[in-house]
Short mmCIF file of all heavy atoms in Angstrom, two decimals:
data_model
loop_
_atom_site.label_atom_id
_atom_site.label_comp_id
_atom_site.label_asym_id
_atom_site.label_seq_id
_atom_site.Cartn_x
_atom_site.Cartn_y
_atom_site.Cartn_z
N HIS A 37 95.75 109.19 80.20
CA HIS A 37 95.97 110.54 79.68
C HIS A 37 97.26 111.06 80.30
O HIS A 37 97.40 111.12 81.52
CB HIS A 37 94.78 111.44 80.02
CG HIS A 37 93.56 111.11 79.23
ND1 HIS A 37 93.06 111.93 78.25
CD2 HIS A 37 92.75 110.03 79.25
CE1 HIS A 37 91.99 111.37 77.70
NE2 HIS A 37 91.78 110.22 78.30
N ALA A 77 127.33 108.80 73.47
CA ALA A 77 127.17 107.37 73.25
C ALA A 77 128.11 106.87 72.13
O ALA A 77 128.48 107.63 71.23
CB ALA A 77 125.73 107.07 72.87
N LEU A 122 104.73 119.39 92.23
CA LEU A 122 103.64 118.95 93.09
C LEU A 122 102.46 119.91 93.06
O LEU A 122 101.30 119.48 93.10
CB LEU A 122 104.15 118.75 94.52
CG LEU A 122 105.16 117.61 94.68
CD1 LEU A 122 105.74 117.59 96.08
CD2 LEU A 122 104.52 116.27 94.34
N VAL A 166 111.86 105.47 88.01
CA VAL A 166 112.45 104.64 86.97
C VAL A 166 113.94 104.93 86.89
O VAL A 166 114.35 106.07 86.68
CB VAL A 166 111.79 104.90 85.60
CG1 VAL A 166 112.37 103.97 84.54
CG2 VAL A 166 110.27 104.73 85.68
N ASP A 194 103.30 93.86 103.65
CA ASP A 194 103.85 93.54 104.97
C ASP A 194 102.85 93.76 106.10
O ASP A 194 103.20 93.72 107.27
CB ASP A 194 105.13 94.35 105.24
CG ASP A 194 104.87 95.85 105.32
OD1 ASP A 194 103.69 96.27 105.20
OD2 ASP A 194 105.84 96.61 105.50
N GLY A 195 101.58 94.00 105.75
CA GLY A 195 100.55 94.14 106.77
C GLY A 195 100.46 95.51 107.42
O GLY A 195 99.75 95.69 108.40
N MET A 216 96.53 93.26 82.99
CA MET A 216 97.40 93.25 84.18
C MET A 216 97.26 91.94 84.95
O MET A 216 96.15 91.46 85.19
CB MET A 216 97.02 94.42 85.10
CG MET A 216 97.74 94.44 86.43
SD MET A 216 97.31 95.95 87.37
CE MET A 216 97.71 95.42 89.05
N GLU A 228 114.06 76.91 110.00
CA GLU A 228 114.54 75.66 109.41
C GLU A 228 113.42 74.96 108.65
O GLU A 228 112.31 74.79 109.15
CB GLU A 228 115.06 74.74 110.52
CG GLU A 228 115.85 73.56 109.97
CD GLU A 228 116.51 72.74 111.08
OE1 GLU A 228 116.51 73.22 112.22
OE2 GLU A 228 117.01 71.67 110.78
N LEU A 302 113.65 91.52 95.47
CA LEU A 302 114.22 91.87 94.17
C LEU A 302 114.72 90.64 93.41
O LEU A 302 114.66 90.61 92.18
CB LEU A 302 115.35 92.88 94.35
CG LEU A 302 114.87 94.24 94.91
CD1 LEU A 302 116.05 95.16 95.20
CD2 LEU A 302 113.91 94.90 93.94
N LEU A 312 106.80 96.04 87.06
CA LEU A 312 106.53 97.07 88.06
C LEU A 312 106.46 96.43 89.44
O LEU A 312 105.89 95.36 89.62
CB LEU A 312 105.19 97.76 87.77
CG LEU A 312 104.72 98.83 88.76
CD1 LEU A 312 105.71 100.01 88.81
CD2 LEU A 312 103.32 99.33 88.40
#
Side-chain angles (χ1 to χ4, degrees):
H37 289 250
L122 294 173
V166 183
D194 64 2
M216 174 175 158
E228 192 173 350
L302 295 175
L312 177 62

